[in-house]
Amino acid sequence: MQVTAQMVRELRDRTGAPMMDCKRALLETEGDQDRAVDVLRKRGVAAAARKAGRATAEGLVGSYIHAGGRIGVLIEVNCETDFVARTDEFQELVKDLAMQVAASDPSFVSREDAPPDLLEREREIYREQVSGSGKPPEIVERVVEGKLKRFFADNALLEQPFVKDPDRTVEQLVTEKIAKLGENIRVSRFARFKLGENAAGAGAEAEEPAPATN
């Protein structure tokens, strides 16, 4: 099948991937745009994995104010060089991540940041919910792990559906930017403030945001 320049441009607009990568993906998938997107995302994951161990000492602290000043977010996103940190692409990513925190109210950056006692408590609650079902223990544990996966999708920033495109996760968004910008990118920490949230304890300091391990 012939891959036209228009097809390549459409795929580039959808993914932000380089033109030649888009053309190769379309040739590989015989012009199927959706399958080509999947190919590019998989390649982005591979590229991100190769960069995962590289130091991220630069980046930006971004902010987002929502709902007429009733919700505010600060977020630190790191990259490898100041050059990338100053690009429109990286700054847009930081803004999108801050907006994600404002909209979806995650509790931590990644599942590795979840306190072990919280996870054990959640597991016990889920076990109690299915304990009277008569299911074998291995099925019960499978159900518990499924519920825990949904818990992370609600509470771990990187596992949440991206608010601008719920068909992909925040982690997939970051991975695609790593592949496109050619540097490791790490969401370090965030803090979310909601007007009146600590009214009962006026004068109390905001919670210290936990560092990420991703």
Side-chain angles (χ1 to χ4, degrees):
M1 175 181 178
Q2 183 179 3
V3 173
T4 66
Q6 178 63 29
M7 294 165 64
V8 174
R9 282 195 296 270
E10 287 178 7
L11 184 58
R12 177 176 169 78
D13 289 342
R14 288 182 64 178
T15 65
M19 297 289 278
M20 288 306 299
D21 288 347
C22 291
K23 183 174 182 179
R24 282 192 288 267
L26 286 166
L27 287 170
E28 185 176 328
T29 60
E30 298 180 339
D32 188 310
Q33 290 276 344
D34 291 335
R35 287 171 55 207
V37 169
D38 291 341
V39 167
L40 289 171
R41 286 182 175 174
K42 289 175 183 176
R43 288 175 182 165
V45 170
R50 289 194 296 271
K51 296 177 176 65
R54 284 156 46 168
T56 51
E58 297 293 339
L60 292 174
V61 173
S63 62
Y64 182 78
I65 305 298
H66 182 65
R70 301 188 67 85
I71 296 175
V73 170
L74 288 173
I75 189 166
E76 180 180 347
V77 184
N78 300 115
C79 58
E80 297 178 41
T81 65
D82 183 56
F83 173 79
V84 163
R86 294 197 309 268
T87 62
D88 292 341
E89 191 88 21
F90 186 82
Q91 292 176 19
E92 181 183 4
L93 172 64
V94 174
K95 182 178 179 181
D96 282 344
L97 292 173
M99 182 181 63
Q100 177 78 29
V101 173
S104 299
D105 192 14
S107 300
F108 31 80
V109 174
S110 69
R111 64 172 60 198
E112 288 79 13
D113 299 317
D117 58 336
L118 171 63
L119 296 185
E120 189 52 40
R121 186 163 69 248
E122 291 296 319
R123 284 192 174 95
E124 286 303 316
I125 291 171
Y126 300 149
R127 288 190 188 103
E128 285 292 324
Q129 290 174 348
V130 295
S131 61
S133 63
K135 292 182 172 65
E138 63 272 16
I139 300 299
V140 169
E141 288 306 309
R142 196 177 304 166
V143 172
V144 168
E145 291 306 311
K147 288 177 176 288
L148 200 61
K149 183 177 180 180
R150 289 193 292 273
F151 169 81
F152 284 127
D154 289 335
N155 292 280
L157 172 63
L158 294 178
E159 298 190 33
Q160 290 181 333
F162 179 39
V163 290
K164 286 187 173 180
D165 181 5
D167 289 334
R168 55 178 171 163
T169 65
V170 172
E171 185 169 29
Q172 287 173 325
L173 169 69
V174 173
T175 296
E176 289 165 10
K177 297 302 181 184
I178 292 172
K180 184 173 183 180
L181 294 172
E183 289 193 5
N184 191 19
I185 296 172
R186 186 172 69 95
V187 183
S188 179
R189 54 184 174 168
F190 63 81
R192 185 179 186 272
F193 304 89
K194 185 176 180 180
L195 187 65
E197 205 165 41
N198 293 327
E205 294 183 0
E207 291 184 6
E208 180 70 19
T213 58
N214 62 304

